[in-house]
Amino acid sequence: MKYKYIIPIIASSLMILSSCDDNLMEWGKDPEHGEVTGAELPLALVEKISRYEPLKNYSDFTLGNGIGISLYMSDAAYRKIVNENFDEVTPGYEMKHGAMVNSKGEINFTTVDAFIAATKSAGLTVFGHTLVWHSNQNASYLNGIIAPTVIPGSSGTNVLDLTPIKSGTFTGWARNNPGKGITTVANAGLTSTSSAIQLESSASSSAAYNLQLTSPNVPIVDGHNYEISFYIKSDVAGKGRISFNGSLANQYPYKDWFSTGGTWTEAFETTSSWQQVKIKLAPGDFKSGSTSFQFNLDLGYLPNVTYLIDANTLAVVDLDAATAVTNLVTNGNFNSGITGWAKYNGATDALSAASASEAYEGNGAMKVINATDNSGGEWKTQIHADFTSTLTVGKNYTISYMIRSEAPGSVRCSTTGGSAQYQGNQTTSTTWKLIEWKITAAGTETGFNFDLGLLAGTYYIDNVTVTDGSSAGGGATAPVTIEKTDAEKTKIIGDAMTDWISKMMTHYKTSVFAWDVVNEPMKEDGTLRNGTEGDTAADYFSWIKYLGKDYAVTAFKLARQYGNETDKLFINDYNLESRLDKCDGLIEYVKYIEGKGARIDGIGTQMHIDLNTDKDKIAQMFQKLAATGKLIKISELDIRLGTATPTVAQQASQSEMYQYVIDMYKKYIPAGQQYGITIWGVSDNSKEHEYWLPNESPNLWDANYVRKHAYKGTADGLAGKDVSLGFSGELQKP
């Protein structure tokens, strides 16, 4: 390399490299040597480093960098370093499940699409990181889809006597057209202990009334509204309706059965999943002078269908019947918005009305957003309601509510007026939960609060009651919680993996050609993780817990199926250089996966190391990996120093370690197996180390984006020589 001239005094922007100040050479005369010439004068280390070309110029394989998308897109200096020095970039977080999948399981490609477009224009390729990992998942969504199903209770006291149904006698009920049979089956309902009405249509069944069960007479109170509801499913696709005998002006009412704004039909459709059928009758629906009504369950539309109706949920409710308790808060069901509720503390948008689809039941719920965690600051997001009357001194009251959150959260209630009373903190999750708090009134209470400031998250609250006495209000029947079976969980999570991988690989089929498919599958002793490691992080989700040892087999097969045949698919793990038994375990798992018919192209070794990492083990690791015949990638290389203000000696040692790792990679990994090396991070700037290695200095550029001594070690390792030995100290002619 030729230079027009030497800069004897380095510009201040380069002098920021304080760790190399001691290596700066002074211009002067050695009295024993005679006059010093330019050719004899050694270059200062800082100047040497400044003369190095971009790193990728010294590499014969792919040189990558692990980066933050937001920094790359917003910081010009950061972006310039990446573009000039590397061939490939790996997003550190933004391509992971937790970053891209929302609470409904939908994938947002916008951020990554913009990033890929920007890197493509800069001549960079993108390495996909990562498809299946136990961390950085939207664990709230994944746990939510396998959470127990909570079935709301009826809207009030059930008018029907279900004893004849549960006993199987059907006294008072008419099996007018029984088809193949109408019976009661034990343990076939929503829960493992609840019974169900089983109705089987015949082979010739073709009209609704060909399979019909008729209820007893239900008394009518003039001017009252009624609701009929039950849960139903069928072994194959089915169809049914509710019809009426005599008392209604319209005996075969049409209804939008399962949605809002859908098509009104006389019949509802059934599947193998439980779903609720509900129909309401207004006073105007009844014929004048009617004192009772009967309804029919008509399920004869289709032949050879077996229906199950949960016996516990079949109910007729008088919606205007007198309630047994008085609710001391207004609008506790939020069916008409959030009138009566106010934000005492929290962000401007902390309180809002939730939609019917977000509610426990009915037309709406209360939605509360707490933006930040506040240790000891439960009150920092606080929602208030006044009591409708003064509480009586010494009397017992029960505050009851249903609550869920989009991630693990916490709630407590507190009273206002006089000396406040406080409920203990209660945990919340993605599953609706009934919480009760019993207090003895001091007589000075004027209202109460929901205190949601402890843990950040989005909370939904419904069916709030404050009642006199020890019993809770909120409906005649308690909600039913249904746990999913292991087989159901396996299918649901398997479908979620298929959806995620298929959509990622399809969407990026023309722009991303190498992927970490499975990340960190091994425990430190070389055995496979099994999902019982006990990590409590909010983004932790163990796929293997539900899909078993073959979860990685499935992941690789899906990635190959939906991606390109020529895509390079990797398995990746850490500490392989410090735990050779872990390295051996990973290699054995690769053999297992391929023995099940999947193909793995490469193995990634992360190499987050420090100056004390055993060099002999590093060499042994590369030898073991090379023996697999797979592509080998150093996937996340950084070298910690244990401080954000390293000494000159520490930086020199860091440089030597970077060079050693690269030398050993090139020595032991055959050229045909060298996929490349990815340096994890650009600089020691605090913006890059908010979440990863804070108060550290592991990278090749310092906090001011100036090349460190480690830059030279890395370049020399890539080049296979001390590049600076070719630099001349003399002025060069143009």
Side-chain angles (χ1 to χ4, degrees):
M1 293 176 287
K2 294 186 177 180
Y3 296 86
K4 294 183 180 179
Y5 50 84
I6 294 174
I7 305 174
I9 300 177
I10 308 302
S12 60
S13 62
L14 291 176
M15 293 292 287
I16 294 171
L17 187 60
S18 60
S19 62
C20 295
D21 287 349
D22 292 347
N23 293 306
L24 295 177
M25 303 299 294
E26 293 186 2
W27 293 80
K29 181 176 181 180
D30 182 345
E32 297 182 2
H33 182 71
E35 193 69 21
V36 177
T37 66
E40 293 175 318
L41 184 70
L43 287 170
L45 179 59
V46 173
E47 186 175 345
K48 283 184 180 181
I49 295 171
S50 73
R51 288 192 175 193
Y52 274 68
E53 295 180 15
L55 289 176
K56 64 184 179 183
N57 291 4
Y58 301 112
S59 177
D60 294 327
F61 44 68
T62 300
L63 187 64
N65 191 225
I67 66 174
I69 285 182
S70 60
L71 268 177
Y72 180 86
M73 300 296 281
S74 63
D75 189 318
Y78 179 96
R79 183 169 58 250
K80 185 174 186 292
I81 289 175
V82 174
N83 290 347
E84 289 180 351
N85 286 277
F86 300 98
D87 307 302
E88 180 181 81
V89 286
T90 301
Y93 172 69
E94 291 87 351
M95 286 186 81
K96 293 171 182 172
H97 190 276
M100 299 187 70
V101 176
N102 67 15
S103 61
K104 298 179 181 179
E106 301 162 334
I107 303 175
N108 186 344
F109 297 103
T110 305
T111 298
V112 178
D113 285 355
F115 169 70
I116 288 178
T119 53
K120 184 177 181 180
S121 67
L124 297 168
T125 58
V126 172
F127 188 92
H129 178 76
T130 181
L131 292 175
V132 178
W133 191 20
H134 56 269
S135 293
N136 290 163
Q137 310 302 307
N138 188 333
S140 176
Y141 164 70
L142 293 171
N143 284 317
I145 60 178
I146 58 174
T149 300
V150 180
I151 306 298
S154 62
S155 300
T157 301
N158 191 0
V159 175
L160 295 174
D161 178 7
L162 296 178
T163 303
I165 294 289
K166 295 178 180 180
S167 66
T169 64
F170 288 88
T171 302
W173 294 75
R175 290 175 277 193
N176 296 323
N177 295 304
K180 292 181 182 178
I182 300 176
T183 59
T184 298
V185 181
N187 306 324
L190 277 164
T191 68
S192 59
T193 58
S194 63
S195 58
I197 308 169
Q198 180 173 285
L199 306 96
E200 299 178 82
S201 62
S202 67
S204 60
S205 191
S206 60
Y209 54 81
N210 288 158
L211 178 61
Q212 185 180 70
L213 176 65
T214 303
S215 75
N217 281 308
V218 178
I220 299 172
V221 177
D222 190 40
H224 282 205
N225 294 271
Y226 291 83
E227 176 185 274
I228 303 169
S229 62
F230 53 87
Y231 274 81
I232 187 172
K233 70 175 183 177
S234 53
D235 61 340
V236 295
K239 187 177 181 181
R241 75 180 183 191
I242 297 176
S243 64
F244 296 89
N245 294 344
S247 299
L248 269 68
N250 180 6
Q251 309 296 337
Y252 311 103
Y254 277 49
K255 188 182 181 303
D256 175 12
W257 292 100
F258 300 126
S259 64
T260 301
T263 302
W264 285 64
T265 62
E266 72 165 4
F268 51 83
E269 296 180 351
T270 63
T271 67
S272 58
S273 297
W274 289 105
Q275 58 188 331
Q276 188 180 41
V277 173
K278 184 181 289 187
I279 187 170
K280 293 184 178 181
L281 304 175
D285 294 328
F286 298 108
K287 291 181 179 178
S288 178
S290 295
T291 59
S292 65
F293 70 89
Q294 286 179 292
F295 65 91
N296 306 303
L297 301 177
D298 293 337
L299 298 167
Y301 285 100
L302 301 173
N304 298 318
V305 182
T306 298
Y307 300 89
L308 291 174
I309 295 176
D310 182 79
N312 286 341
T313 63
L314 178 57
V316 177
V317 174
D318 181 346
L319 297 175
D320 298 308
T323 58
V325 295
T326 300
N327 192 355
L328 298 181
V329 291
T330 59
N331 191 24
N333 58 20
F334 307 103
N335 287 336
S336 56
I338 54 175
T339 302
W341 297 84
K343 175 179 69 69
Y344 268 18
N345 294 297
T348 303
D349 61 349
L351 175 63
S352 62
S355 65
S357 63
E358 296 170 318
Y360 170 68
E361 64 178 357
N363 297 328
M366 182 165 64
K367 180 178 181 179
V368 183
I369 298 175
N370 173 41
T372 59
D373 291 347
N374 299 287
S375 179
E378 289 88 345
W379 56 272
K380 290 188 175 181
T381 294
Q382 189 175 65
I383 309 302
H384 176 79
D386 290 329
F387 294 139
T388 56
S389 62
T390 303
L391 305 192
T392 302
V393 177
K395 199 167 190 177
N396 295 323
Y397 294 85
T398 299
I399 297 173
S400 169
Y401 53 97
M402 298 296 297
I403 187 168
R404 69 176 176 88
S405 51
E406 292 184 356
S410 179
V411 62
R412 78 171 186 195
C413 287
S414 59
T415 63
T416 56
S419 297
Q421 298 189 54
Y422 296 94
Q423 181 185 27
N425 290 330
Q426 308 291 308
T427 60
T428 65
S429 70
T430 55
T431 302
W432 281 106
K433 179 180 183 180
L434 173 65
I435 295 178
E436 293 183 345
W437 180 37
K438 294 178 172 61
I439 64 172
T440 300
T444 55
E445 295 87 357
T446 58
F448 83 106
N449 311 307
F450 285 109
D451 298 334
L452 296 158
L454 183 64
L455 295 180
T458 301
Y459 298 83
Y460 300 90
I461 298 171
D462 205 351
N463 286 11
V464 182
T465 62
V466 179
T467 59
D468 176 359
S470 59
S471 62
T477 58
V480 177
T481 300
I482 308 170
E483 294 284 350
K484 293 179 174 62
T485 66
D486 289 344
E488 288 172 329
K489 291 178 180 179
T490 296
K491 183 180 187 308
I492 291 168
I493 294 304
D495 290 345
M497 178 187 282
T498 299
D499 183 73
W500 160 244
I501 294 179
S502 65
K503 288 178 179 176
M504 287 292 286
M505 298 303 292
T506 300
H507 188 84
Y508 292 116
K509 194 168 186 176
T510 60
S511 55
V512 179
F513 308 105
W515 294 83
D516 275 334
V517 176
V518 173
N519 197 43
E520 301 178 7
M522 313 308 296
K523 292 194 285 189
E524 292 303 282
D525 63 359
T527 60
L528 195 63
R529 292 179 185 270
N530 56 23
T532 62
E533 288 73 30
D535 195 318
T536 57
D539 62 2
Y540 179 89
F541 183 87
S542 183
W543 298 85
I544 194 172
K545 181 176 180 180
Y546 303 97
L547 302 181
K549 186 177 181 180
D550 285 0
Y551 85 103
V553 177
T554 302
F556 275 99
K557 286 182 177 180
L558 288 169
R560 190 73 65 189
Q561 175 184 349
Y562 290 98
N564 303 291
E565 177 61 27
T566 55
D567 286 347
K568 303 303 180 187
L569 305 183
F570 282 77
I571 192 168
N572 186 48
D573 219 321
Y574 65 95
N575 282 356
L576 304 184
E577 70 288 326
S578 61
R579 291 295 301 259
L580 296 177
D581 50 352
K582 186 176 185 179
C583 184
D584 291 337
L586 180 63
I587 291 170
E588 288 304 310
Y589 191 42
V590 168
K591 293 177 183 177
Y592 174 84
I593 294 168
E594 294 204 312
K596 291 285 189 173
R599 189 174 95 240
I600 298 175
D601 297 302
I603 300 174
T605 174
Q606 293 182 16
M607 299 202 72
H608 298 294
I609 63 176
D610 59 35
L611 299 183
N612 296 317
T613 301
D614 190 324
K615 290 183 176 180
D616 289 339
K617 287 185 177 180
I618 290 175
Q620 291 178 58
M621 174 196 68
F622 284 133
Q623 292 175 69
K624 288 175 178 289
L625 293 176
T628 67
K630 299 295 182 185
L631 290 173
I632 304 302
K633 177 189 181 188
I634 300 177
S635 57
E636 302 181 15
L637 178 61
D638 55 28
I639 300 173
R640 301 182 300 278
L641 294 179
T643 176
T645 55
T647 65
V648 172
Q650 286 175 312
Q651 293 209 50
S653 297
Q654 184 184 52
S655 178
E656 188 274 333
M657 182 63 96
Y658 267 110
Q659 184 168 352
Y660 177 82
V661 170
I662 297 169
D663 286 345
M664 293 302 99
Y665 176 78
K666 294 171 66 176
K667 178 178 179 179
Y668 291 113
I669 306 300
Q673 291 176 246
Q674 294 174 8
Y675 176 87
I677 296 174
T678 291
I679 308 296
W680 204 245
V682 172
S683 78
D684 297 339
N685 191 293
S686 60
K687 290 186 293 186
E688 293 187 59
H689 296 279
E690 183 178 0
Y691 303 108
W692 176 247
L693 302 183
N695 301 312
E696 261 287 359
S697 49
N699 296 117
L700 307 186
W701 283 262
D702 70 11
N704 299 297
Y705 296 147
V706 176
R707 293 174 179 179
K708 292 167 55 181
H709 197 165
Y711 185 98
K712 180 182 186 302
T714 301
D716 290 347
L718 294 170
K721 63 181 181 180
D722 185 344
V723 175
S724 68
L725 293 178
F727 296 168
S728 170
E730 290 191 308
L731 297 173
Q732 299 293 316
K733 295 181 180 180

